[in-house]
Amino acid sequence: MAILSDTELKEIIEEKNAVYTDRGPDIDMDLQLGPSSLDLRLGYEFGFLDTRSVKALDTRKMENYDKIRNTRKTTPEEGMVIHPGEFVLGSTLESLKVPNDLVARIEGRSSYARLGLIPHAAAGFVDPGFEGQITLEIQNLGNVPITIYPEDRICQVVFETMTSESEQPYGEKTDSKYMNQEGATGSRLDKEHR
């Protein structure tokens, strides 16, 4: 596998609509495009759990998950405060449309990591054929609250080539439970085939 360069990133964004926005400011290639990645901006919606009303989350009994899950929308001026140890879901402003011969990886930006903020804790692999916004698992590992703002560049996407085109892209699999997701999408573990 090989990582796409800025030249190839521009091509797949312009010709294959691999990264696009439906709401908010357009992609600023001069600001967001790096030598081998594209910075993605924070979206407007956040998800968090009301942890005081539950003893534990049971991954085999997810029926209570939606009852304790809350969402909040915020503006680029207001921002969202992430307290030490706190975990919230966010999303990218941009949507991805991963071609069937590529995979994408979402990585945090070091400027945020140096503050103790992990903008994307896990699930950074994006399958070929996936389309939608990326849900971010945001955690403050530091000792002080950190305010983050929608429309700021919080993470980056890297595209890599595969040895061949996928025979069964993400959207064609029966377990494609996050296809076309928007906003801070919570866990859909209850929809997983076991």
Side-chain angles (χ1 to χ4, degrees):
M1 293 184 15
I3 294 174
L4 300 190
S5 70
D6 51 1
T7 304
E8 295 161 319
L9 283 170
K10 278 192 255 186
E11 287 176 14
I12 67 163
I13 291 168
E14 292 169 3
E15 295 172 15
K16 296 186 179 184
N17 205 28
V19 183
Y20 62 92
T21 55
D22 285 330
R23 287 171 284 215
D26 290 336
I27 295 170
D28 182 342
M29 294 298 266
D30 291 333
L31 184 62
Q32 291 178 250
L33 185 64
S36 60
S37 66
L38 181 78
D39 288 345
L40 300 178
R41 297 165 293 173
L42 186 62
Y44 307 106
E45 182 180 284
F46 296 89
F48 53 95
L49 298 179
D50 181 9
T51 57
R52 298 191 193 291
S53 63
V54 65
K55 290 180 184 177
L57 279 178
D58 187 331
T59 60
R60 295 220 171 167
K61 298 175 186 169
M62 294 291 288
E63 55 271 357
N64 290 330
Y65 178 74
D66 285 335
K67 294 176 185 171
I68 63 167
R69 187 175 178 280
N70 295 305
T71 59
R72 177 177 167 226
K73 291 193 179 187
T74 188
T75 66
E77 297 77 28
E78 179 184 19
M80 177 75 166
V81 176
I82 312 296
H83 292 277
E86 188 174 26
F87 175 85
V88 299
L89 296 177
S91 69
T92 57
L93 184 62
E94 290 83 7
S95 293
L96 299 186
K97 184 178 178 182
V98 183
N100 292 345
D101 60 345
L102 300 175
V103 296
R105 291 190 188 274
I106 307 300
E107 302 288 346
R109 292 187 59 226
S110 68
S111 294
Y112 285 93
R114 293 169 196 221
L115 299 175
L117 188 83
I118 305 302
H120 195 57
F125 186 83
V126 186
D127 283 312
F130 173 84
E131 183 170 4
Q133 292 177 326
I134 301 300
T135 295
L136 302 173
E137 302 96 15
I138 303 168
Q139 187 169 20
N140 182 349
L141 301 178
N143 297 321
V144 296
I146 300 171
T147 304
I148 56 177
Y149 298 90
E151 300 179 7
D152 281 357
R153 297 176 293 136
I154 196 161
C155 62
Q156 56 194 331
V157 62
V158 173
F159 285 90
E160 297 180 62
T161 60
M162 298 193 325
T163 55
S164 66
E165 190 168 303
S166 175
E167 187 175 306
Q168 190 176 29
Y170 183 79
E172 295 176 18
K173 291 179 57 77
T174 56
D175 202 20
S176 299
K177 55 190 173 285
Y178 297 107
M179 189 68 163
N180 297 314
Q181 69 183 4
E182 290 184 5
T185 304
S187 176
R188 293 180 177 163
L189 198 55
D190 59 323
K191 295 178 178 17
E192 188 165 295
H193 300 284
R194 294 182 191 241

